[in-house]
Amino acid sequence: MADLGRALLVLALAVAVFGAVIAVMAGVRGRRDLALSARRCVYALAALTVASFAILEAAFLRTDLSFSVVASHSSTTTPAFYKATAPWSSQEGSLLLWLLLLSLWSSLVLFLTRRRLRDVQPWATAVLLGLAAFFAGLLVFSANPFTTLATPPAEGAGLNPLLRHPSMMSHPPMLYSGYTLFAIPFAFAVGALIVRRVDAEWIAATRRFALAAWFFLGIGILLGARWSYAELGWGGYWAWDPVENASLMPWLTGTAFIHSLMIQERRGMLKVWNASLALSCGVLSILGTFLVRSGILDSIHAFGASTLGVPFLVLIGVMVAGSIALVVSRLDVLRSEHRLDSLWSREAVFLGNNLVLVGLAFVVFWGTFFPLIAEAVTGTKQALGPPWFDKYIVPLALVLVLLSGIGPLIAWRRGTLANARRSFLWPAVGGVAGGVVAIALGGGGRPLALVMFVLGAFVLAGVWQELWRGVRARRAMSDDGPLRALVALVDRNRRRYGGYLVHVGMAVLFIGVAASSAFQNASDTRLSPGETARVGGYDVRYDEPTSRIDTQGGDVERIVLGAQLTVRKDGEVVARLHPERGYYPSRDAGGLGPVGRFFEGEATSEIAMDAGATKDLWTAVSPDIGKLEPIIAEGDKVFADAADALTPEQQGMALGSALRGLVDRYTDSPPPATFRLIVSPMVTWIWVGGLLVFLGGLIALVPPGGTAPRPVTARLRARVARELAAGA
């Protein structure tokens, strides 16, 4: 099967190169038959990559250790759930997944636009196939997932323990879906600029793909934050890690693009801006893929050093140079059809929103690449930590939330003072109420958190007001009840009200970030059984140690040491928590004893948490295994002396007994353990806000439905509705 997989990849590369060439010929000569052939090459590419990925997935599921990538990233003891996700834990498998998703999305967009943009489509096809040829070339020549071993090992290395989390099932595919979907507006922007067709039609054809890219990339970012919070054992959800930042940059520019394209569709404005944003999203998506694979920046999320950095740099350079050349050479046709009528208008707010989003992306870019910039200038690599990012990100985020609240409340083209008074009264009252809540939580001494609460509440109140007015107007036009009127209102304009829900979700998310950052209480403390620590008004007692040995397929998978905690507030028990730390055997057993290697491999924190709407009580434990070192050393010595006298089966039984005695010793004579105890208010609001954001995005993705009311009745009711809305 490995030979078949390799052959499919070679065919995929050939099809991509051939299709790109004939797509360019179709664009130059204007021949529809060649354009059709190029499109069919994309379909063929998708079929080839689906088949090759299926072969790789099957190899992981059956643990075919003759595949080098399976032997290094899975094992017979890896649970089936994680075997299915293991392909994208490897460099080779993740590149194949990238190519698979790119080919599928490309096939979909070219099928949907097969009768539209016939002058643009050949060039867009050439770009998409060119990107596919790049990734297929990497898979064939540099990172082939179908490389086999002459002598397969008896056991594989296993999946990295840190990746054994449910989020890893969907986190990478979501990110890669976002990256590959951003290739669609990039390709069509290139095509539109080449043929000088820069009206709004190319935007209309790719708008849903841009929104889908933003949607999937955002879900991937949220899942990554959740994984960090639940798995890495440090108690945070965002560390400004280079790979985290790499996914955030195209999401920010994509958010700007989704907002500004509405202005081009409505007013024919911001053509240069939209073309630049579409191109930037494509470039930043490739940049994010590059950072994970190049090893130029240290990250827990990266694959490590590899030889793929140079090809990616060449691709990025070509994309950047080509994008700049296209925009500059087409400035004459990218002139706006209209000018900004007033600074007090929805267009102006959208433009300000775009500038802030691009400013955020630039700050993230600069902070991410500063170590390389510093090394090039001074010869010393210097990293910028979270305090630097917070210094610039927080003020920009406050402005962004303010603009997201103002935008829905003012009119297109030109707002008036009378409308402003009517539209801003209740949102302002909501903002004041949010400030009162923040002060009650202790935000009086945290001015930035206080402002975020005020602005977040302002956004929530503004959207509520718009929904109330819309429902009231809808009921004046129909006999619907409030709930049915709300559903019909959203159904008739899903893009608008889906966007409102996105604003609500972002406000809730930012409030959660502000509260959990400003009002967090954390303590790192060393406790013996029976001792108590106090954090954030809670008393946390270390009741007793726990231990166990986890097995998989009859083999010892890991040793788990933990603690039983009782949490009290004002003398009342509010939670019982059981944090643990798992110790996996080292993949490199050379020089390590059979007992000691369990404490020289990967170790993962299994955090324990009592989560709620108002606060999370988060705990992690680091057992002091130093006290066990003499016992471990003695066990390794005994095994070394008796190795020749024991059969493999006897050695396995003896190892199990030795490990059992070791963990029993830990619970019978427990040493002190170090605990990380955190009380974080409103962390749940972050996850709820994220879900609301993506629910809003999903609503906006679905085409509008509903039927129009009867004309005569509609005109009468519409007039009544306008009067009601004006008087609201």
Side-chain angles (χ1 to χ4, degrees):
M1 295 300 286
D3 291 337
L4 177 58
R6 284 194 292 268
L8 290 173
L9 285 181
V10 172
L11 279 174
L13 175 60
V15 167
V17 172
F18 173 74
V21 171
I22 63 172
V24 171
M25 293 172 60
V28 171
R29 300 177 182 179
R31 290 179 53 180
R32 292 187 181 178
D33 58 330
L34 292 178
L36 176 60
S37 296
R39 187 165 69 245
R40 287 174 176 170
C41 284
V42 176
Y43 301 156
L45 175 67
L48 291 168
T49 52
V50 166
S52 60
F53 192 83
I55 291 172
L56 183 63
E57 185 69 50
F60 270 94
L61 289 174
R62 68 174 184 270
T63 317
D64 188 343
L65 298 176
S66 65
F67 284 66
S68 175
V69 68
V70 176
S72 58
H73 293 85
S74 187
S75 66
T76 58
T77 61
T78 301
F81 176 81
Y82 293 116
K83 286 181 181 179
T85 67
W88 48 80
S89 71
S90 66
Q91 178 88 274
E92 301 87 348
S94 65
L95 285 172
L96 182 55
L97 177 62
W98 216 102
L99 178 62
L100 170 66
L101 293 169
L102 177 65
S103 64
L104 292 175
W105 300 130
S106 300
S107 298
L108 179 60
V109 71
L110 293 177
F111 177 78
L112 294 176
T113 61
R114 63 193 182 280
R115 295 185 180 89
R116 302 169 60 187
L117 298 167
R118 287 179 171 167
D119 52 344
V120 174
Q121 193 182 99
W123 296 105
T125 305
V127 172
L128 293 170
L129 284 170
L131 287 172
F134 173 82
F135 281 92
L138 291 180
L139 288 165
V140 170
F141 299 113
S142 300
N144 198 311
F146 299 107
T147 301
T148 55
L149 300 172
T151 305
E155 182 57 278
L159 183 65
N160 187 319
L162 288 174
L163 302 181
R164 300 187 183 196
H165 188 271
S167 292
M168 290 299 105
M169 182 72 174
S170 50
H171 168 63
M174 292 295 106
L175 288 182
Y176 296 163
S177 291
Y179 287 154
T180 52
L181 277 164
F182 270 133
I184 304 302
F186 174 85
F188 276 80
V190 169
L193 289 170
I194 288 175
V195 302
R196 294 177 174 268
R197 185 174 176 178
V198 293
D199 55 15
E201 189 174 356
W202 75 270
I203 283 180
T206 60
R207 180 182 65 238
R208 293 192 186 281
F209 287 89
L211 184 56
W214 172 89
F215 175 80
F216 284 119
L217 189 57
I219 290 178
I221 292 170
L222 187 69
L223 288 173
R226 181 66 186 180
W227 170 75
S228 178
Y229 186 60
E231 186 68 17
L232 296 187
W234 64 289
Y237 41 79
W238 195 265
W240 297 110
D241 178 272
V243 173
E244 293 175 349
N245 298 347
S247 63
L248 183 61
M249 287 186 285
W251 190 84
L252 290 168
T253 55
T255 306
F257 179 58
I258 290 168
H259 282 81
S260 64
L261 62 80
M262 287 188 281
I263 300 178
Q264 182 169 344
E265 287 181 308
R266 277 179 169 266
R267 304 287 313 281
M269 299 166 61
L270 302 183
K271 292 182 180 180
V272 173
W273 187 252
N274 281 327
S276 300
L277 284 175
L279 296 170
S280 297
C281 289
V283 172
L284 289 172
S285 294
I286 297 297
L287 182 65
T289 308
F290 159 72
L291 279 181
V292 178
R293 288 162 175 79
S294 64
I296 64 168
L297 292 172
D298 295 330
S299 169
I300 192 174
H301 308 277
F303 288 110
S306 75
T307 59
L308 302 182
V310 173
F312 270 103
L313 281 176
V314 172
L315 175 63
I316 292 169
V318 170
M319 293 174 71
V320 170
S323 298
I324 293 173
L326 277 173
V327 172
V328 171
S329 64
R330 300 300 189 266
L331 287 176
D332 57 329
V333 295
L334 287 171
R335 293 194 185 96
S336 294
E337 298 169 18
H338 299 92
R339 297 292 180 184
L340 198 64
D341 294 319
S342 171
L343 290 177
W344 187 247
S345 63
R346 191 170 296 186
E347 295 95 316
V349 172
F350 274 28
L351 180 58
N353 167 287
N354 269 233
L355 293 174
V356 172
L357 286 165
V358 172
L360 285 167
F362 177 77
V363 170
V364 175
F365 178 89
W366 182 264
T368 301
F369 285 94
F370 183 80
L372 298 180
I373 298 170
E375 186 176 24
V377 175
T378 67
T380 303
K381 185 178 287 189
Q382 302 174 25
L384 298 176
W388 183 90
F389 283 97
D390 293 344
K391 179 180 178 180
Y392 298 99
I393 293 292
V394 172
L396 287 171
L398 291 172
V399 176
L400 182 65
V401 175
L402 173 63
L403 293 175
S404 71
I406 293 175
L409 302 180
I410 59 177
W412 292 97
R413 303 192 67 169
R414 187 182 299 274
T416 65
L417 185 60
N419 285 336
R421 283 197 299 266
R422 185 174 67 249
S423 297
F424 281 81
L425 174 61
W426 289 112
V429 171
V432 172
V436 172
V437 171
I439 293 173
L441 290 173
R446 306 277 186 167
L448 293 178
L450 175 62
V451 173
M452 183 60 79
F453 267 77
V454 170
L455 296 179
F458 172 78
V459 172
L460 296 177
V463 172
W464 174 260
Q465 174 181 271
E466 290 300 298
L467 285 174
W468 180 77
R469 288 178 174 176
V471 168
R472 189 181 181 194
R474 176 74 187 178
R475 294 189 68 191
M477 297 171 59
S478 66
D479 299 323
D480 295 341
L483 182 59
R484 188 173 179 181
L486 175 62
V487 172
L489 181 72
V490 174
D491 189 53
R492 293 288 295 245
N493 198 339
R494 295 184 182 183
R495 189 174 169 190
R496 176 183 180 182
Y497 290 102
Y500 284 175
L501 186 57
V502 169
H503 286 197
V504 167
M506 289 304 301
V508 171
L509 187 151
F510 276 123
I511 289 173
V513 170
S516 61
S517 301
F519 309 135
Q520 182 186 89
N521 290 281
S523 174
D524 292 311
T525 185
R526 186 174 172 86
L527 299 174
S528 295
E531 294 183 338
T532 299
R534 187 169 180 82
V535 57
Y538 293 87
D539 295 309
V540 182
R541 183 180 187 272
Y542 178 16
D543 295 330
E544 60 181 0
T546 63
S547 64
R548 72 174 191 274
I549 298 174
D550 288 345
T551 60
Q552 184 75 26
D555 295 325
V556 176
E557 183 184 32
R558 64 174 182 169
I559 295 172
V560 182
L561 305 178
Q564 190 68 47
L565 306 176
T566 299
V567 183
R568 289 180 170 84
K569 186 175 179 65
D570 299 328
E572 297 290 330
V573 175
V574 295
R576 297 187 188 277
L577 303 176
H578 185 200
E580 296 177 321
R581 190 163 180 84
Y583 298 89
Y584 292 80
S586 172
R587 298 183 182 187
D588 181 13
L592 299 176
V595 179
R597 74 188 188 95
F598 278 88
F599 298 93
E600 298 295 335
E602 296 278 356
T604 61
S605 289
E606 308 296 335
I607 65 105
M609 178 170 55
D610 180 38
T614 58
K615 60 98 181 76
D616 282 6
L617 180 56
W618 186 100
T619 62
V621 62
S622 294
D624 183 0
I625 60 174
K627 301 290 185 181
L628 301 176
E629 288 180 357
I631 304 173
I632 295 171
E634 180 64 23
D636 287 338
K637 182 176 182 301
V638 170
F639 267 94
D641 294 340
D644 295 335
L646 298 176
T647 66
E649 182 179 354
Q650 290 173 330
Q651 288 181 11
M653 295 176 62
L655 177 61
S657 298
L659 295 177
R660 183 70 264 169
L662 183 69
V663 298
D664 288 344
R665 175 68 177 269
Y666 179 79
T667 53
D668 293 341
S669 302
T674 301
F675 294 88
R676 183 158 180 78
L677 311 173
I678 303 176
V679 178
S680 292
M682 301 175 71
V683 175
T684 299
W685 286 46
I686 298 173
W687 319 126
V688 172
L691 292 175
L692 290 175
V693 167
F694 302 119
L695 177 59
L698 191 61
I699 290 172
L701 270 170
V702 178
T707 57
R710 291 188 298 273
V712 175
T713 307
R715 285 195 296 271
L716 176 61
R717 290 178 172 175
R719 186 179 71 184
V720 175
R722 285 195 299 271
E723 293 173 354
L724 287 172

